């Protein structure tokens, strides 16, 4: 059937090219604007317990999670000088007049907002908007703000997200400048002619433009995170070129045999077309798994990746054969390497050497991959803070000032909302709150607990009963502040502090301990804070991840079983894929969590890995790594059908596919490696993980481990029970 489709495409080749030209013309104007349609954030979920706690705090105490911090200073004035106070008062009046600002907080009314050296002060503006809507408000707040003679550094979540968006855009432009020229050079090394090198890059570029144009319109009717854009583009560039590369390579082979252009297109479509189709399907299966997570950032990557990979697959299956049908033998024009064929005979000799001594190659290579994977056991998933940006960005500068000048240590600060029925000062409720406060103080990792019943360690329940019998008589400022800010009918707040990093496993244990308290049926505790959110994020993602991974592995196994008519080959492919992915995960932990090579790669280690990064890499890498397995095994299967010799088929398969797989891998390594130059650490880590995994895959796994295992399994490579064979659809090369 595919051969007939190839002939049909050749017959209507000009119409196919025109159809793609129309699609490109429609999408090209909007494709560069796709990023502007995407929203910041995407890491929250309304069903997370921490989010419900945050909603409760906003409803009952009008506490806003979205705020902007203005760090103000002057070369001469001090915060309490007349001039400084006048200037900051004018600044607060401007902020209070903005419709997006609900509450303005100042160092003049709140303690802790003066720097340790007394030279800087903080003004905070709580917004009425969620983080996703805050960027527009941020522009309107800051553009017309007149600080007078004050020096102002702006930080907080909205400025951080704005800087991440800016940095991500710069990272993408930088990577495109690096990746495309290097990809063309790699194509020149593979094909040796300018015409053959340009075509995969051109067709891949068309696929990326059309795919991003579709993403632009999809973002109109559903929320998509801007943090997904770079990964979507990376996949589009890499796979758009790779699929077309395999098609061009097979077409050149068939022309070299003396076939006519229509016959070369038909056979290429029948053989390479099948491999490309199944490669695309496995990649789409992998990235589609991200749609199974209830998180906008993962959902966005999944939707965008499915779109760009589908367009890349469609362009390789339709536009590429149509273009090749027009170009024909001119594919060999402008030869730059006329007599050199990279490693063509070396692959057969390598396969022969590996199969002669399979254990000699198998044992050490697997040991290397296991060694690389070992650090993965120490994975500490967490969430990102401002340190994912370099310090040239203002929000990062403000973050550093808060730590260095104001002593705002990175520690665990939890707000526990305790809900009950009635007046908090009723005797029964007060006793319940006191018992809960004492239980919080009894937690080993809780350094300090503050509430209306945790004022001082020397006070007991009877003292609090006496104190709150006449609350109107209380004159102590700190007690009055606690009463005004932390208690309402039916609810009281407890503030729990700990010196642990909020992203650490120990902090998440503290959250679990608080949530595990046994409470009366009518009472509940709700925990908010960075550690609580990180706990919910990690628990949600990694509680579901094993099931999602199992579904991806099963679907991939079945699709490979249909293609290769074997049980052993899909099983080996899945195991080798997981081994190479785990090796890249281990290296990711070693580099980005533990900080090795941080100087060389120019980033500041956070001691954690962004919780979404391993999941994104699994979804992307499982399909991409399978691509090379499919292209190698497709050629081995062809050779086995002709020779019926396992050993000879492995040698011929590697000889015929080794150079092209290496070239395709080199392109993805170049594309992924270009993102290692990114300034946003999460983007840098994804690029690093992708480049390393592909490098492992096209060198250690495909060149050494795969031939060794093919040799050891012998004829069992192609074993498939007849009862299964009869039930599987036929979908092979004609």
């Amino acid at each position: 059937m595919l051969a007939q489709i190839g002939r049909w495409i050749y017959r209507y080749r000009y119409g196919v090219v025109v159809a793609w030209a129309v699609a490109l013309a429609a999408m090209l104007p909007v494709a560069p604007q796709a990023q502007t349609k995407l929203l910041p954030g995407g890491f929250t979920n309304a069903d997370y317990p921490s989010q419900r706690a945050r909603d409760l705090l906003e409803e009952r105490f009008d506490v806003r999670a979205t705020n902007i911090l203005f760090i103000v200073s002057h070369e001469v004035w001090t915060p309490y000088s007349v001039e400084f106070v006048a200037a900051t008062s004018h600044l607060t009046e401007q902020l209070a007049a903005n419709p997006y600002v609900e509450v303005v907080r100042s160092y003049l009314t709140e303690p802790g907002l003066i720097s340790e050296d007394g030279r800087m002060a903080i003004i905070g503006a709580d917004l009425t908007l969620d983080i996703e809507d805050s960027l527009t408000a941020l522009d309107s707040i800051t553009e017309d703000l007149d600080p007078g003679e004050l020096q102002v550094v702006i930080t907080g979540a909205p400025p951080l997200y704005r800087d991440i968006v800016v940095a991500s855009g710069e990272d993408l432009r930088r990577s495109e400048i690096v990746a495309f020229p290097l990809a063309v050079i790699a194509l020149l090394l593979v094909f040796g002619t300018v015409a053959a090198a340009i075509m995969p890059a051109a067709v891949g570029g068309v696929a990326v433009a059309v795919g991003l144009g579709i993403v632009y319109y999809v973002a109109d009717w559903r929320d998509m995170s801007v943090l997904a854009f770079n990964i979507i583009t990376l996949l589009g560039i890499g796979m758009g070129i790779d699929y077309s590369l395999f098609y061009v390579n097979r077409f050149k082979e068939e022309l070299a045999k003396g076939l006519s252009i229509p016959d070369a297109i038909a056979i290429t479509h029948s053989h390479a077309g099948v491999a490309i189709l199944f490669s695309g399907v496995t990649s789409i299966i992998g990235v589609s798994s991200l749609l199974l997570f209830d998180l906008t950032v993962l959902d966005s990557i999944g939707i965008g990746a499915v779109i760009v990979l589908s367009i890349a697959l469609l362009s390789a299956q339709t536009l590429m054969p149509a273009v090749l049908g027009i170009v024909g033998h001119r594919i060999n024009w402008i030869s730059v390497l006329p007599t050199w064929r990279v490693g063509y005979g070396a692959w057969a000799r390598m396969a022969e050497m590996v199969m002669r001594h399979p254990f000699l190659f198998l044992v050490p290579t697997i040991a290397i991959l296991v060694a690389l994977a070992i650090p993965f056991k120490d994975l500490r998933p967490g969430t990102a803070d401002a340190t994912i940006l370099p310090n040239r960005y203002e929000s990062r500068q403000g973050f550093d000032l808060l730590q260095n000048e104001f002593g705002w240590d990175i520690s665990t600060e939890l707000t526990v909302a305790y809900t009950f029925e009635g007046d908090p000062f009723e005797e029964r409720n007060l006793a319940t709150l006191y018992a809960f406060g004492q239980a919080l103080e009894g937690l080993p990792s809780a350094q300090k607990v503050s509430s209306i019943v945790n004022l001082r360690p020397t006070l007991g329940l009877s003292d609090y009963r006496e104190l709150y019998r006449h609350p109107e008589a209380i004159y102590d400022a700190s007690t009055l502040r606690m009463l005004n800010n932390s208690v309402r009918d039916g609810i009281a707040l407890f503030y729990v502090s700990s010196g642990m990093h909020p992203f650490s496993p120990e902090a998440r244990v503290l959250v679990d301990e608080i949530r595990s308290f046994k409470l009366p049926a009518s009472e509940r505790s709700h925990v908010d804070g960075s550690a609580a959110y990180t706990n919910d994020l990690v628990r949600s993602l990694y509680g579901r991840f094993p099931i999602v991974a199992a579904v991806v592995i099963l679907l991939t196994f079945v699709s490979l079983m249909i293609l290769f008519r074997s049980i052993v080959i899909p099983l080996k492919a899945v195991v080798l894929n997981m081994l190479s992915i785990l090796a890249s995960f281990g290296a990711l932990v070693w580099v980005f969590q533990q900080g090795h090579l941080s100087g060389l790669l120019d980033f500041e280690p956070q001691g954690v890995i962004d919780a979404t990064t391993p999941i994104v890499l699994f979804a992307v890498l499982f399909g991409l790594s399978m691509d090379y397995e499919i292209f190698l095994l497709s050629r081995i299967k062809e050779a086995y059908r002709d020779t019926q010799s396992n050993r000879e088929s492995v040698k011929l398969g590697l000889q015929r596919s080794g150079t092209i797989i290496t070239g395709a891998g080199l392109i993805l390594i170049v594309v992924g490696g270009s993102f290692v130059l990114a300034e946003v650490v999460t983007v840098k880590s994804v690029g690093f993980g992708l480049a390393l995994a592909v490098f492992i895959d096209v060198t250690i796994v495909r060149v050494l481990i795969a031939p060794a295992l093919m040799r050891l399994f012998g004829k069992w490579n192609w074993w498939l029970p007849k009862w299964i064979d009869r039930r599987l659809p036929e979908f092979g090369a004609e």
Side-chain angles (χ1 to χ4, degrees):
M1 181 180 71
L2 285 178
Q4 294 175 347
I5 292 175
R7 293 187 184 277
W8 184 89
I9 292 173
Y10 175 78
R11 180 179 302 169
Y12 299 102
R13 55 194 181 278
Y14 291 103
V16 172
V17 170
V18 168
W20 274 98
V22 170
L24 180 63
M27 297 300 177
L28 193 57
V30 299
Q33 306 301 318
Q35 190 175 16
T36 64
K37 286 290 192 75
L38 309 184
L39 302 175
F43 289 93
T44 58
N45 186 309
D47 294 328
Y48 285 176
S50 57
Q51 183 60 47
R52 292 199 295 268
R54 193 165 299 169
D55 294 341
L56 181 64
L57 294 175
E58 184 174 326
E59 177 187 346
R60 297 300 306 276
F61 293 91
D62 207 25
V63 174
R64 298 289 178 177
T66 307
N67 57 71
I68 306 172
L69 299 179
F70 300 84
I71 302 174
V72 293
S73 62
H74 192 273
E75 293 180 356
V76 178
W77 304 339
T78 59
Y80 291 110
S81 65
V82 174
E83 299 88 350
F84 200 106
V85 170
T88 53
S89 298
H90 179 61
L91 192 61
T92 56
E93 289 173 4
Q94 295 177 66
L95 291 172
N98 191 287
Y100 295 118
V101 176
E102 185 170 49
V103 177
V104 179
R105 294 173 289 109
S106 167
Y107 71 98
L108 296 172
T109 56
E110 293 189 20
L113 300 184
I114 292 284
S115 64
E116 293 176 345
D117 64 359
R119 304 295 303 178
M120 298 180 181
I122 294 175
I123 297 173
D126 295 346
L127 306 186
T128 59
L129 303 172
D130 294 331
I131 186 65
E132 283 77 9
D133 301 319
S134 64
L135 291 195
T136 302
L138 179 63
D139 291 338
S140 74
I141 292 170
T142 59
E143 284 178 358
D144 298 328
L145 200 63
D146 179 18
E149 296 185 48
L150 294 177
Q151 298 171 352
V152 180
V153 177
I154 304 175
T155 190
L160 172 62
Y161 276 114
R162 179 175 63 181
D163 287 344
I164 289 175
V165 171
V166 172
S168 297
E170 293 179 359
D171 289 343
L172 179 60
R173 287 187 290 273
R174 187 185 304 109
S175 65
E176 288 174 338
I177 292 171
V178 172
F180 265 110
L182 291 179
V184 172
I185 292 172
L187 290 168
L188 280 171
L189 292 174
V190 172
F191 292 127
T193 65
V194 173
I198 289 177
M199 279 195 187
V203 172
V206 170
V208 171
V210 174
L212 292 180
I214 295 174
V215 169
Y216 174 89
Y217 290 109
V218 169
D220 279 334
W221 57 270
R222 59 108 54 227
D223 290 345
M224 292 185 69
S225 171
V226 71
L227 300 176
F229 189 75
N230 284 17
I231 298 173
I232 294 170
T233 307
L234 182 155
L235 285 176
I237 294 172
M239 301 316 297
I241 295 175
D242 265 12
Y243 293 152
S244 299
L245 165 69
F246 284 110
Y247 203 100
V248 171
N249 180 69
R250 189 58 182 257
F251 178 72
K252 282 171 62 68
E253 281 188 27
E254 300 306 327
L255 283 184
K257 295 176 183 177
L259 295 180
S260 66
I261 295 173
D263 288 343
I265 292 288
I267 292 179
T268 299
H269 217 67
S270 175
H271 291 79
V274 172
I276 291 169
L277 177 61
F278 275 83
S279 296
V281 168
T282 56
S283 293
I284 291 171
I285 288 173
V287 296
S288 295
S289 67
L290 297 175
L291 301 176
L292 301 177
F293 294 94
D294 294 328
L295 204 63
T296 300
V297 66
L298 294 182
D299 192 62
S300 302
I301 296 172
I303 291 174
V306 167
I307 291 171
V308 297
L309 288 179
S310 299
I311 297 300
L313 179 60
L314 184 62
S315 67
Q317 296 275 18
T318 57
L319 178 59
M320 182 52 77
V323 171
L324 290 176
I326 295 171
V327 172
H329 290 280
R330 293 187 292 272
I331 192 70
N332 295 312
W333 274 11
I334 316 178
S335 175
V336 292
L337 297 171
T339 59
W340 183 39
R341 182 65 167 154
V342 182
Y344 191 72
W347 297 115
R349 292 192 295 272
M350 174 64 76
E352 185 65 40
M353 183 169 58
V354 171
M355 288 188 291
R356 191 180 301 121
H357 308 286
F359 287 107
L360 183 63
F361 289 92
L362 193 61
V363 173
T365 50
I366 290 180
I368 290 172
L369 295 183
V370 171
L372 285 172
I374 286 174
F376 184 57
K377 67 180 176 58
D378 299 321
L379 173 71
R380 295 163 65 95
T383 51
D385 59 25
T387 57
I388 67 170
L389 290 174
N391 55 19
R392 72 182 183 89
Y393 288 93
E394 185 178 10
S395 60
R396 170 63 193 275
Q397 294 168 10
F399 179 84
D400 291 341
L401 286 174
L402 292 176
Q403 287 187 276
N404 300 330
E405 303 297 334
F406 291 83
W408 288 21
D409 294 332
I410 300 179
S411 58
T412 297
E413 303 290 337
L414 299 174
T415 301
V416 184
Y418 193 98
T419 58
F420 48 90
E421 295 178 355
D423 186 340
F425 302 111
E426 291 179 2
E427 185 170 335
R428 185 181 68 85
N429 287 336
L430 195 62
T432 300
L433 293 176
Y434 178 78
F436 185 73
Q438 294 303 299
L440 291 175
E441 287 188 347
L443 295 173
S445 52
Q447 293 182 344
K448 181 181 179 182
V449 178
S450 301
S451 76
I452 62 167
V453 290
N454 296 90
L455 297 176
R456 285 182 291 278
T458 56
L459 298 180
L461 177 59
S462 59
D463 298 309
Y464 287 115
R465 283 173 175 164
E466 186 64 29
L467 177 66
Y468 296 126
R469 187 166 289 138
H470 302 287
E472 68 279 359
I474 297 174
Y475 62 87
D476 179 71
S478 61
T479 304
L480 284 173
R481 190 180 304 112
M482 187 67 71
L483 280 172
N484 292 331
N485 297 336
S486 70
V487 65
R488 302 284 187 275
D489 283 348
I491 187 170
L493 303 184
F494 294 79
Y495 304 99
V496 181
S497 302
S498 173
M500 299 178 297
H501 194 289
F503 302 154
S504 67
E506 295 79 13
R508 299 205 301 273
V509 169
L510 174 61
V511 173
D512 286 334
E513 288 175 340
I514 296 173
R515 288 174 173 171
S516 66
F517 286 163
K518 294 187 180 300
L519 305 176
S522 61
E523 297 167 10
R524 295 285 187 274
S525 65
H526 309 266
V527 186
D528 182 33
S530 297
Y533 164 72
T534 303
N535 183 299
D536 296 338
L537 177 69
V538 172
R539 191 177 296 272
S540 172
L541 294 182
Y542 289 88
R544 186 173 299 190
F545 182 54
I547 299 173
V548 172
V551 171
V552 170
I553 291 170
L554 179 62
L555 291 176
T556 303
F557 179 87
V558 171
S559 66
L560 294 183
M561 189 166 58
I562 293 171
L563 177 61
F564 294 116
R565 321 304 291 186
S566 167
I567 285 181
V568 175
I569 283 180
L571 184 60
K572 287 191 302 180
V574 166
V575 171
L576 290 180
N577 247 24
M578 289 305 303
L579 193 57
S580 63
I581 290 173
L582 287 174
S584 69
F585 281 1
L588 198 71
V589 169
W590 190 78
V591 173
F592 287 93
Q593 178 179 302
Q594 298 176 359
H596 301 97
L597 306 181
S598 58
L600 178 64
L601 297 178
D602 191 25
F603 71 93
E604 182 177 328
Q606 296 179 290
V608 297
I609 294 290
D610 189 281
T612 60
T613 298
I615 292 174
V616 170
L617 279 175
F618 170 82
V620 171
L621 289 175
F622 197 85
L624 297 191
S625 297
M626 201 62 75
D627 286 347
Y628 306 117
E629 183 82 359
I630 289 174
F631 288 117
L632 172 62
L633 292 173
S634 295
R635 301 310 295 260
I636 292 176
K637 182 183 178 184
E638 282 185 50
Y640 186 78
R641 189 177 57 219
D642 296 336
T643 65
Q644 293 300 305
S645 167
N646 180 69
R647 191 161 182 158
E648 189 67 18
S649 64
V650 172
K651 184 172 70 173
L652 289 174
L654 190 57
Q655 176 178 304
R656 293 168 180 171
S657 64
T659 297
I660 201 67
I661 287 177
T662 302
L666 180 59
I667 289 168
L668 267 181
I669 291 170
V670 164
V671 174
S674 69
F675 279 84
V676 175
L677 303 174
E679 292 186 322
V680 181
V681 176
T682 49
V683 176
K684 186 190 293 283
S685 65
V686 170
F688 174 85
L690 174 64
L692 179 62
V694 172
F695 175 78
I696 291 171
D697 210 61
V698 299
T699 54
I700 296 176
V701 174
R702 302 303 162 220
V703 177
L704 301 176
I705 297 179
L709 289 176
M710 292 292 291
R711 167 70 178 85
L712 292 173
F713 280 94
K715 65 179 182 179
W716 290 103
N717 284 308
W718 311 104
W719 175 71
L720 181 69
K722 292 187 182 298
W723 65 271
I724 296 179
D725 193 20
R726 288 193 299 268
R727 287 166 172 79
L728 294 179
E730 287 285 346
F731 210 103
E734 298 140 63

